[in-house]
Amino acid sequence: MSPKQRVLVAVGVDANAERVMQAGKRFADALAAPWTLVSVETPDLIKLSAVGRNRWAGLQRLAASLGAQTVTLDGPSVSEALFEYARTSEATHIVIGAPKRQRLLGWLRPSPPTQLVRRAHGFDVIAVSATPDEGVAAGADVSFGPEPPAKIQWHRYTWAMLASAVTTAIAYAMDPYFALANIIMAYLLGSALVGIKFGRGPAVLASLANVVAFLVYFVPPRFSLSIADLQYLVTFIVMLIVAVTMANLMASVRQQIRAAGARERRTALLYAMSRDLSATRGVANMARVAVRHIADVFHCKATVLMPDGAGNLQRPKEAPVENSFLDADLSIAQWVFEQGKRAGLASDNMPTAPAMYVPLKDEHRRLGVLAILPSNHRRMLIPDQYRFLEAFAEQLSLAVERAGLSAAAEAGRVAAETESLRNTLLASISHDLRTPLAAIAGAGSALAERGPELDDEMRTSLARSIAAKAVEMSEIVSNVLDLMRFESGQMTLRRDGHSLDDLIGAALGRVEERLRDHPVRIDIPNELPVLSVDGSLIVQALANIFDNAAKYTPNGALVHVHARVEGAGVEVIIDDQGPGFPVGDRDRLFNKFQRGKDEGSVAGAGLGLAICRAIIHAHAGEIRALDRPGGGARIEFFLPSIESAS
């Protein structure tokens, strides 16, 4: 099997461009190989007139209609750009116009075809002569032909003559102090500056004027055109050649700078939109950012049409930004969205439409449609301009895809956390509710089956057991609901002034039955400030801490409550004389469904301290689990005073 063939057809902005393109098309058809029409962004391409640009766009559209891919390259030179692209694209043949430079000029400055032939390695170079031929699409009016004469900018030549006069005045002032070689350098510098500022033609004129001025004013006999010493004739010729060469080089550099500046501006504009899109969240906001950038760059009206859940494109619901294309044809846009092909202006699909419709898509799905209405239709017909628009559309597609992936990742994270929470909740509830339910079922069954046989004391004991276990179940469910409410942001603080001893008293009253076997010692200084807290929530937090002390300490163990002024609030400290916290990360105890001893005999779902932390954090405080000096557990937390809240 023969290796895969690929043909590059390189054309420039000259009358031979169409013939080269036709020859390349025939050659690619003979090889049954794909072909690409390649052009290099040169100064000649940049300075084309409006008529020339229209013809250039027509040539590229013709090539695209014949099945070619059109590419515009940039690089330090035509041959270098073509060589690099041929190497990276694995081209096997390059079709290019025959060299025009002959004899000495061709030897001094080899043409791009000559340079490609010298460097050809891995591909063949086919040169097409300028002989007219009858080929593909001979009737198409895309030939460049003679470019209409450009209007001469006489003011540039006037400035060139003025620059020559100024240089002569400076050289005349230098004459008494400097040799003629230094004066020649001054004239060469003047020619170079004119070339940089005003271009090739004015630079050549300035060079000629400089040579004449040097002959008249500085070469003996002065103030005449005669030459006394023939050696000066060589000086004049060399000076003229160097000056003209420098002028041409400076003009070429100036045009190359313009070309590089144009490429840099396009890159900067694309980067600006990419940067703004990366800093934007939400598809609707991204669409607004893209519309603003595209409208500014392409001088058009634009809009981004996104599909609804049923796949039907919808106009933006938000207030339109400046230069929004509000009259986009939804029927054309829907066709573009479903087919994944562009339509409208400068396309083969519905070309009579005044607007352009570009699909936004990634590798897996279609995302929407970008619709633009250009103010200058001819400008958007240039293939380079459309490829630049496609680059903007691809940036927007990537941003929308990234937003979708981010939303999907966030949804997956939430789903995973929800599933984990559900599993943990079910595991905890299934254990912690099973025990009181079994006790209630056993006590109820005993009362139902053997009630008459039991004495009053036993019946009372069973009834109290049922009530206690029911309260225990109610507290577990209540704690779960409270924590869900806190974490969902539905907790609203109702701050008011409260004294700490009142809050502690209310909490002890709530757990009085459970603490009946535990002595409680309270050391509260009289000078404590009034607290600015939600009283009911702080009472609940204190009650949870006291309840833990009652559960995890033996009967008779002391519970010690003390406090001190700390900054703009009060530090509350609750100690017990139990076994203390387990060894390990103490912060873990404040997580949901975490208990000091997993699967222990103590009833509870492991939510008490988690609720305490949620309440304390809502009051802008911190809560910590520590070891009590001398043994036991310690809980510390901070509450703000009413002075700090005000």
Side-chain angles (χ1 to χ4, degrees), residues 8-25 35-42 45 56 59-60 63 70-73 78 82 94-97 128 144:
L8 301 184
V9 182
V11 296
V13 287
D14 53 33
N16 201 32
E18 184 184 2
R19 297 191 187 97
V20 175
M21 187 267 292
Q22 293 172 356
K25 165 63 176 172
W35 65 293
T36 303
L37 186 74
V38 181
S39 56
V40 180
E41 193 173 48
T42 62
L45 180 59
W56 180 248
L59 178 67
Q60 292 189 309
T70 59
V71 175
T72 300
L73 308 176
V78 174
L82 290 175
I94 297 181
V95 179
I96 192 169
V128 180
F144 285 91

mmCIF file of all heavy atoms in Angstrom, residues 8-25 35-42 45 56 59-60 63 70-73 78 82 94-97 128 144:
data_model
loop_
_atom_site.group_PDB
_atom_site.id
_atom_site.type_symbol
_atom_site.label_atom_id
_atom_site.label_comp_id
_atom_site.label_asym_id
_atom_site.label_seq_id
_atom_site.Cartn_x
_atom_site.Cartn_y
_atom_site.Cartn_z
ATOM 1 N N LEU A 8 0.058 20.356 -0.635
ATOM 2 C CA LEU A 8 -0.056 21.758 -0.247
ATOM 3 C C LEU A 8 0.085 22.607 -1.499
ATOM 4 O O LEU A 8 1.030 22.413 -2.277
ATOM 5 C CB LEU A 8 1.024 22.150 0.765
ATOM 6 C CG LEU A 8 1.074 21.380 2.085
ATOM 7 C CD1 LEU A 8 2.151 21.985 2.986
ATOM 8 C CD2 LEU A 8 -0.270 21.411 2.772
ATOM 9 N N VAL A 9 -0.842 23.541 -1.687
ATOM 10 C CA VAL A 9 -0.794 24.463 -2.820
ATOM 11 C C VAL A 9 -0.526 25.846 -2.262
ATOM 12 O O VAL A 9 -1.386 26.433 -1.592
ATOM 13 C CB VAL A 9 -2.103 24.426 -3.628
ATOM 14 C CG1 VAL A 9 -2.012 25.367 -4.822
ATOM 15 C CG2 VAL A 9 -2.407 23.006 -4.090
ATOM 16 N N ALA A 10 0.673 26.366 -2.521
ATOM 17 C CA ALA A 10 1.083 27.659 -1.970
ATOM 18 C C ALA A 10 0.857 28.751 -3.009
ATOM 19 O O ALA A 10 1.369 28.659 -4.134
ATOM 20 C CB ALA A 10 2.548 27.616 -1.559
ATOM 21 N N VAL A 11 0.088 29.760 -2.646
ATOM 22 C CA VAL A 11 -0.211 30.859 -3.561
ATOM 23 C C VAL A 11 0.097 32.181 -2.870
ATOM 24 O O VAL A 11 0.081 32.292 -1.642
ATOM 25 C CB VAL A 11 -1.686 30.832 -4.018
ATOM 26 C CG1 VAL A 11 -1.981 29.578 -4.815
ATOM 27 C CG2 VAL A 11 -2.624 30.926 -2.821
ATOM 28 N N GLY A 12 0.354 33.178 -3.681
ATOM 29 C CA GLY A 12 0.572 34.532 -3.194
ATOM 30 C C GLY A 12 -0.394 35.487 -3.848
ATOM 31 O O GLY A 12 -1.286 35.086 -4.607
ATOM 32 N N VAL A 13 -0.225 36.770 -3.568
ATOM 33 C CA VAL A 13 -1.153 37.773 -4.107
ATOM 34 C C VAL A 13 -0.600 38.291 -5.439
ATOM 35 O O VAL A 13 -0.128 39.410 -5.553
ATOM 36 C CB VAL A 13 -1.349 38.920 -3.102
ATOM 37 C CG1 VAL A 13 -2.185 38.467 -1.956
ATOM 38 C CG2 VAL A 13 -0.003 39.445 -2.594
ATOM 39 N N ASP A 14 -0.664 37.434 -6.450
ATOM 40 C CA ASP A 14 -0.214 37.845 -7.775
ATOM 41 C C ASP A 14 -1.153 37.254 -8.809
ATOM 42 O O ASP A 14 -2.063 36.479 -8.506
ATOM 43 C CB ASP A 14 1.236 37.404 -8.023
ATOM 44 C CG ASP A 14 1.437 35.920 -7.772
ATOM 45 O OD1 ASP A 14 0.494 35.147 -8.024
ATOM 46 O OD2 ASP A 14 2.520 35.530 -7.301
ATOM 47 N N ALA A 15 -0.906 37.622 -10.066
ATOM 48 C CA ALA A 15 -1.794 37.182 -11.145
ATOM 49 C C ALA A 15 -1.705 35.688 -11.391
ATOM 50 O O ALA A 15 -2.575 35.111 -12.046
ATOM 51 C CB ALA A 15 -1.446 37.949 -12.428
ATOM 52 N N ASN A 16 -0.658 35.035 -10.918
ATOM 53 C CA ASN A 16 -0.474 33.608 -11.142
ATOM 54 C C ASN A 16 -1.165 32.746 -10.096
ATOM 55 O O ASN A 16 -1.111 31.524 -10.165
ATOM 56 C CB ASN A 16 1.032 33.294 -11.147
ATOM 57 C CG ASN A 16 1.353 31.990 -11.848
ATOM 58 O OD1 ASN A 16 0.664 31.598 -12.789
ATOM 59 N ND2 ASN A 16 2.392 31.320 -11.382
ATOM 60 N N ALA A 17 -1.814 33.359 -9.088
ATOM 61 C CA ALA A 17 -2.358 32.608 -7.963
ATOM 62 C C ALA A 17 -3.417 31.603 -8.403
ATOM 63 O O ALA A 17 -3.411 30.449 -7.971
ATOM 64 C CB ALA A 17 -2.941 33.574 -6.932
ATOM 65 N N GLU A 18 -4.329 32.034 -9.289
ATOM 66 C CA GLU A 18 -5.399 31.123 -9.698
ATOM 67 C C GLU A 18 -4.854 29.959 -10.501
ATOM 68 O O GLU A 18 -5.302 28.815 -10.340
ATOM 69 C CB GLU A 18 -6.452 31.864 -10.513
ATOM 70 C CG GLU A 18 -7.642 30.979 -10.875
ATOM 71 C CD GLU A 18 -8.645 31.681 -11.765
ATOM 72 O OE1 GLU A 18 -8.409 32.840 -12.133
ATOM 73 O OE2 GLU A 18 -9.651 31.036 -12.105
ATOM 74 N N ARG A 19 -3.874 30.208 -11.358
ATOM 75 C CA ARG A 19 -3.308 29.123 -12.161
ATOM 76 C C ARG A 19 -2.611 28.103 -11.268
ATOM 77 O O ARG A 19 -2.714 26.896 -11.484
ATOM 78 C CB ARG A 19 -2.322 29.705 -13.176
ATOM 79 C CG ARG A 19 -2.960 30.655 -14.180
ATOM 80 C CD ARG A 19 -1.987 30.989 -15.305
ATOM 81 N NE ARG A 19 -2.545 32.028 -16.159
ATOM 82 C CZ ARG A 19 -2.267 33.321 -16.043
ATOM 83 N NH1 ARG A 19 -1.434 33.720 -15.095
ATOM 84 N NH2 ARG A 19 -2.813 34.206 -16.845
ATOM 85 N N VAL A 20 -1.902 28.582 -10.255
ATOM 86 C CA VAL A 20 -1.248 27.663 -9.321
ATOM 87 C C VAL A 20 -2.295 26.848 -8.573
ATOM 88 O O VAL A 20 -2.136 25.629 -8.379
ATOM 89 C CB VAL A 20 -0.348 28.446 -8.344
ATOM 90 C CG1 VAL A 20 0.229 27.506 -7.287
ATOM 91 C CG2 VAL A 20 0.781 29.142 -9.083
ATOM 92 N N MET A 21 -3.360 27.501 -8.175
ATOM 93 C CA MET A 21 -4.418 26.783 -7.454
ATOM 94 C C MET A 21 -5.062 25.724 -8.342
ATOM 95 O O MET A 21 -5.315 24.594 -7.908
ATOM 96 C CB MET A 21 -5.470 27.784 -6.960
ATOM 97 C CG MET A 21 -6.529 27.174 -6.047
ATOM 98 S SD MET A 21 -7.993 26.622 -6.941
ATOM 99 C CE MET A 21 -8.661 28.197 -7.481
ATOM 100 N N GLN A 22 -5.324 26.059 -9.619
ATOM 101 C CA GLN A 22 -5.921 25.090 -10.538
ATOM 102 C C GLN A 22 -4.991 23.905 -10.770
ATOM 103 O O GLN A 22 -5.420 22.738 -10.766
ATOM 104 C CB GLN A 22 -6.251 25.776 -11.859
ATOM 105 C CG GLN A 22 -7.352 26.816 -11.761
ATOM 106 C CD GLN A 22 -7.509 27.614 -13.035
ATOM 107 O OE1 GLN A 22 -6.746 27.449 -13.986
ATOM 108 N NE2 GLN A 22 -8.501 28.495 -13.058
ATOM 109 N N ALA A 23 -3.696 24.193 -10.942
ATOM 110 C CA ALA A 23 -2.735 23.108 -11.152
ATOM 111 C C ALA A 23 -2.647 22.210 -9.920
ATOM 112 O O ALA A 23 -2.571 20.979 -10.029
ATOM 113 C CB ALA A 23 -1.366 23.689 -11.499
ATOM 114 N N GLY A 24 -2.652 22.832 -8.752
ATOM 115 C CA GLY A 24 -2.620 22.039 -7.522
ATOM 116 C C GLY A 24 -3.847 21.174 -7.370
ATOM 117 O O GLY A 24 -3.754 20.020 -6.926
ATOM 118 N N LYS A 25 -5.023 21.696 -7.759
ATOM 119 C CA LYS A 25 -6.254 20.928 -7.691
ATOM 120 C C LYS A 25 -6.183 19.714 -8.616
ATOM 121 O O LYS A 25 -6.526 18.590 -8.227
ATOM 122 C CB LYS A 25 -7.435 21.820 -8.062
ATOM 123 C CG LYS A 25 -8.726 21.105 -8.375
ATOM 124 C CD LYS A 25 -9.281 20.327 -7.196
ATOM 125 C CE LYS A 25 -10.629 19.707 -7.549
ATOM 126 N NZ LYS A 25 -11.118 18.793 -6.498
ATOM 127 N N TRP A 35 -6.045 18.175 -0.350
ATOM 128 C CA TRP A 35 -5.148 19.297 -0.641
ATOM 129 C C TRP A 35 -5.532 20.512 0.181
ATOM 130 O O TRP A 35 -6.682 20.677 0.592
ATOM 131 C CB TRP A 35 -5.130 19.616 -2.134
ATOM 132 C CG TRP A 35 -6.431 20.107 -2.720
ATOM 133 C CD1 TRP A 35 -7.583 19.401 -2.858
ATOM 134 C CD2 TRP A 35 -6.679 21.406 -3.250
ATOM 135 N NE1 TRP A 35 -8.553 20.168 -3.435
ATOM 136 C CE2 TRP A 35 -8.029 21.408 -3.699
ATOM 137 C CE3 TRP A 35 -5.925 22.553 -3.403
ATOM 138 C CZ2 TRP A 35 -8.622 22.527 -4.280
ATOM 139 C CZ3 TRP A 35 -6.510 23.663 -3.984
ATOM 140 C CH2 TRP A 35 -7.833 23.642 -4.415
ATOM 141 N N THR A 36 -4.538 21.339 0.442
ATOM 142 C CA THR A 36 -4.707 22.527 1.279
ATOM 143 C C THR A 36 -4.158 23.737 0.539
ATOM 144 O O THR A 36 -3.024 23.691 0.028
ATOM 145 C CB THR A 36 -3.949 22.361 2.617
ATOM 146 O OG1 THR A 36 -4.417 21.190 3.280
ATOM 147 C CG2 THR A 36 -4.172 23.569 3.516
ATOM 148 N N LEU A 37 -4.955 24.782 0.462
ATOM 149 C CA LEU A 37 -4.495 26.041 -0.114
ATOM 150 C C LEU A 37 -3.820 26.847 0.994
ATOM 151 O O LEU A 37 -4.455 27.226 1.974
ATOM 152 C CB LEU A 37 -5.663 26.825 -0.705
ATOM 153 C CG LEU A 37 -5.266 28.089 -1.467
ATOM 154 C CD1 LEU A 37 -4.657 27.735 -2.814
ATOM 155 C CD2 LEU A 37 -6.468 29.012 -1.652
ATOM 156 N N VAL A 38 -2.516 27.103 0.823
ATOM 157 C CA VAL A 38 -1.721 27.746 1.864
ATOM 158 C C VAL A 38 -1.251 29.103 1.358
ATOM 159 O O VAL A 38 -0.789 29.224 0.222
ATOM 160 C CB VAL A 38 -0.500 26.880 2.244
ATOM 161 C CG1 VAL A 38 0.299 27.543 3.354
ATOM 162 C CG2 VAL A 38 -0.950 25.498 2.675
ATOM 163 N N SER A 39 -1.385 30.107 2.207
ATOM 164 C CA SER A 39 -0.823 31.427 1.922
ATOM 165 C C SER A 39 -0.083 31.896 3.162
ATOM 166 O O SER A 39 -0.391 31.473 4.279
ATOM 167 C CB SER A 39 -1.919 32.426 1.545
ATOM 168 O OG SER A 39 -2.892 32.502 2.572
ATOM 169 N N VAL A 40 0.891 32.754 2.952
ATOM 170 C CA VAL A 40 1.703 33.279 4.044
ATOM 171 C C VAL A 40 1.407 34.759 4.183
ATOM 172 O O VAL A 40 1.367 35.496 3.186
ATOM 173 C CB VAL A 40 3.203 33.051 3.799
ATOM 174 C CG1 VAL A 40 4.031 33.602 4.954
ATOM 175 C CG2 VAL A 40 3.481 31.560 3.621
ATOM 176 N N GLU A 41 1.176 35.188 5.418
ATOM 177 C CA GLU A 41 0.849 36.588 5.677
ATOM 178 C C GLU A 41 2.107 37.436 5.497
ATOM 179 O O GLU A 41 2.952 37.527 6.380
ATOM 180 C CB GLU A 41 0.292 36.744 7.091
ATOM 181 C CG GLU A 41 -0.365 38.079 7.335
ATOM 182 C CD GLU A 41 -1.047 38.120 8.687
ATOM 183 O OE1 GLU A 41 -0.414 37.720 9.672
ATOM 184 O OE2 GLU A 41 -2.206 38.538 8.753
ATOM 185 N N THR A 42 2.213 38.057 4.331
ATOM 186 C CA THR A 42 3.358 38.892 3.980
ATOM 187 C C THR A 42 2.924 40.352 3.932
ATOM 188 O O THR A 42 1.722 40.658 3.943
ATOM 189 C CB THR A 42 3.916 38.481 2.618
ATOM 190 O OG1 THR A 42 2.892 38.691 1.625
ATOM 191 C CG2 THR A 42 4.332 37.017 2.619
ATOM 192 N N LEU A 45 0.350 41.005 1.294
ATOM 193 C CA LEU A 45 -1.018 40.626 1.635
ATOM 194 C C LEU A 45 -1.669 41.659 2.536
ATOM 195 O O LEU A 45 -2.849 41.971 2.417
ATOM 196 C CB LEU A 45 -1.020 39.248 2.321
ATOM 197 C CG LEU A 45 -2.375 38.683 2.753
ATOM 198 C CD1 LEU A 45 -3.298 38.535 1.556
ATOM 199 C CD2 LEU A 45 -2.196 37.351 3.451
ATOM 200 N N TRP A 56 -8.870 38.229 -3.290
ATOM 201 C CA TRP A 56 -8.178 37.219 -2.479
ATOM 202 C C TRP A 56 -9.183 36.344 -1.737
ATOM 203 O O TRP A 56 -9.030 35.123 -1.681
ATOM 204 C CB TRP A 56 -7.234 37.923 -1.524
ATOM 205 C CG TRP A 56 -6.458 37.017 -0.617
ATOM 206 C CD1 TRP A 56 -6.591 36.906 0.726
ATOM 207 C CD2 TRP A 56 -5.440 36.107 -1.000
ATOM 208 N NE1 TRP A 56 -5.708 35.994 1.217
ATOM 209 C CE2 TRP A 56 -4.982 35.473 0.166
ATOM 210 C CE3 TRP A 56 -4.868 35.761 -2.216
ATOM 211 C CZ2 TRP A 56 -3.988 34.519 0.157
ATOM 212 C CZ3 TRP A 56 -3.860 34.795 -2.222
ATOM 213 C CH2 TRP A 56 -3.437 34.186 -1.050
ATOM 214 N N LEU A 59 -10.726 33.921 -4.208
ATOM 215 C CA LEU A 59 -9.863 32.784 -4.517
ATOM 216 C C LEU A 59 -9.939 31.731 -3.416
ATOM 217 O O LEU A 59 -10.028 30.526 -3.698
ATOM 218 C CB LEU A 59 -8.427 33.272 -4.688
ATOM 219 C CG LEU A 59 -7.378 32.184 -4.960
ATOM 220 C CD1 LEU A 59 -7.617 31.546 -6.316
ATOM 221 C CD2 LEU A 59 -5.973 32.751 -4.869
ATOM 222 N N GLN A 60 -9.929 32.164 -2.163
ATOM 223 C CA GLN A 60 -9.993 31.196 -1.062
ATOM 224 C C GLN A 60 -11.360 30.521 -0.990
ATOM 225 O O GLN A 60 -11.450 29.328 -0.692
ATOM 226 C CB GLN A 60 -9.656 31.895 0.252
ATOM 227 C CG GLN A 60 -8.202 32.345 0.343
ATOM 228 C CD GLN A 60 -7.832 32.837 1.723
ATOM 229 O OE1 GLN A 60 -8.522 33.673 2.287
ATOM 230 N NE2 GLN A 60 -6.730 32.338 2.260
ATOM 231 N N ALA A 63 -11.372 27.879 -3.674
ATOM 232 C CA ALA A 63 -10.621 26.697 -3.249
ATOM 233 C C ALA A 63 -11.433 25.867 -2.259
ATOM 234 O O ALA A 63 -11.455 24.631 -2.331
ATOM 235 C CB ALA A 63 -9.290 27.114 -2.635
ATOM 236 N N THR A 70 -8.307 25.782 3.629
ATOM 237 C CA THR A 70 -7.535 27.014 3.448
ATOM 238 C C THR A 70 -6.852 27.380 4.755
ATOM 239 O O THR A 70 -7.470 27.376 5.819
ATOM 240 C CB THR A 70 -8.432 28.169 2.987
ATOM 241 O OG1 THR A 70 -9.458 28.386 3.952
ATOM 242 C CG2 THR A 70 -9.062 27.860 1.639
ATOM 243 N N VAL A 71 -5.566 27.708 4.646
ATOM 244 C CA VAL A 71 -4.758 28.016 5.820
ATOM 245 C C VAL A 71 -3.911 29.243 5.510
ATOM 246 O O VAL A 71 -3.343 29.349 4.420
ATOM 247 C CB VAL A 71 -3.840 26.835 6.209
ATOM 248 C CG1 VAL A 71 -2.921 27.219 7.361
ATOM 249 C CG2 VAL A 71 -4.665 25.622 6.577
ATOM 250 N N THR A 72 -3.842 30.168 6.462
ATOM 251 C CA THR A 72 -2.947 31.317 6.359
ATOM 252 C C THR A 72 -1.883 31.197 7.433
ATOM 253 O O THR A 72 -2.204 31.057 8.617
ATOM 254 C CB THR A 72 -3.719 32.634 6.524
ATOM 255 O OG1 THR A 72 -4.717 32.725 5.504
ATOM 256 C CG2 THR A 72 -2.783 33.829 6.401
ATOM 257 N N LEU A 73 -0.623 31.250 7.018
ATOM 258 C CA LEU A 73 0.499 31.069 7.927
ATOM 259 C C LEU A 73 1.188 32.394 8.194
ATOM 260 O O LEU A 73 1.012 33.367 7.454
ATOM 261 C CB LEU A 73 1.517 30.091 7.324
ATOM 262 C CG LEU A 73 0.991 28.733 6.846
ATOM 263 C CD1 LEU A 73 2.114 27.951 6.183
ATOM 264 C CD2 LEU A 73 0.406 27.947 8.001
ATOM 265 N N VAL A 78 8.536 33.450 3.759
ATOM 266 C CA VAL A 78 7.579 32.575 3.088
ATOM 267 C C VAL A 78 8.088 31.138 3.072
ATOM 268 O O VAL A 78 7.359 30.200 3.411
ATOM 269 C CB VAL A 78 7.317 33.085 1.655
ATOM 270 C CG1 VAL A 78 6.441 32.087 0.890
ATOM 271 C CG2 VAL A 78 6.649 34.449 1.688
ATOM 272 N N LEU A 82 6.365 27.880 4.974
ATOM 273 C CA LEU A 82 5.891 26.738 4.193
ATOM 274 C C LEU A 82 6.629 25.462 4.593
ATOM 275 O O LEU A 82 6.017 24.389 4.689
ATOM 276 C CB LEU A 82 6.073 27.012 2.709
ATOM 277 C CG LEU A 82 5.160 28.082 2.100
ATOM 278 C CD1 LEU A 82 5.531 28.336 0.647
ATOM 279 C CD2 LEU A 82 3.697 27.676 2.199
ATOM 280 N N ILE A 94 4.422 19.908 -2.533
ATOM 281 C CA ILE A 94 4.117 21.337 -2.462
ATOM 282 C C ILE A 94 4.063 21.869 -3.886
ATOM 283 O O ILE A 94 5.032 21.747 -4.651
ATOM 284 C CB ILE A 94 5.175 22.118 -1.657
ATOM 285 C CG1 ILE A 94 5.198 21.650 -0.203
ATOM 286 C CG2 ILE A 94 4.897 23.614 -1.720
ATOM 287 C CD1 ILE A 94 6.203 22.397 0.658
ATOM 288 N N VAL A 95 2.917 22.439 -4.252
ATOM 289 C CA VAL A 95 2.737 23.059 -5.565
ATOM 290 C C VAL A 95 2.843 24.564 -5.366
ATOM 291 O O VAL A 95 2.111 25.140 -4.549
ATOM 292 C CB VAL A 95 1.376 22.685 -6.183
ATOM 293 C CG1 VAL A 95 1.197 23.357 -7.533
ATOM 294 C CG2 VAL A 95 1.262 21.170 -6.324
ATOM 295 N N ILE A 96 3.748 25.204 -6.120
ATOM 296 C CA ILE A 96 4.013 26.620 -5.919
ATOM 297 C C ILE A 96 4.344 27.254 -7.261
ATOM 298 O O ILE A 96 4.760 26.569 -8.211
ATOM 299 C CB ILE A 96 5.179 26.817 -4.920
ATOM 300 C CG1 ILE A 96 5.283 28.267 -4.467
ATOM 301 C CG2 ILE A 96 6.487 26.308 -5.484
ATOM 302 C CD1 ILE A 96 6.237 28.481 -3.303
ATOM 303 N N GLY A 97 4.147 28.555 -7.366
ATOM 304 C CA GLY A 97 4.469 29.257 -8.597
ATOM 305 C C GLY A 97 5.967 29.248 -8.865
ATOM 306 O O GLY A 97 6.785 29.267 -7.944
ATOM 307 N N VAL A 128 4.935 25.753 -10.837
ATOM 308 C CA VAL A 128 3.979 25.988 -11.919
ATOM 309 C C VAL A 128 4.372 27.273 -12.625
ATOM 310 O O VAL A 128 4.509 28.329 -11.989
ATOM 311 C CB VAL A 128 2.540 26.085 -11.373
ATOM 312 C CG1 VAL A 128 1.560 26.339 -12.510
ATOM 313 C CG2 VAL A 128 2.175 24.811 -10.629
ATOM 314 N N PHE A 144 -6.435 37.897 -9.861
ATOM 315 C CA PHE A 144 -6.044 39.201 -9.346
ATOM 316 C C PHE A 144 -5.836 40.197 -10.470
ATOM 317 O O PHE A 144 -6.266 41.332 -10.386
ATOM 318 C CB PHE A 144 -4.760 39.081 -8.502
ATOM 319 C CG PHE A 144 -5.020 38.476 -7.181
ATOM 320 C CD1 PHE A 144 -4.925 37.113 -7.005
ATOM 321 C CD2 PHE A 144 -5.381 39.262 -6.120
ATOM 322 C CE1 PHE A 144 -5.184 36.561 -5.779
ATOM 323 C CE2 PHE A 144 -5.631 38.710 -4.878
ATOM 324 C CZ PHE A 144 -5.534 37.351 -4.719
#
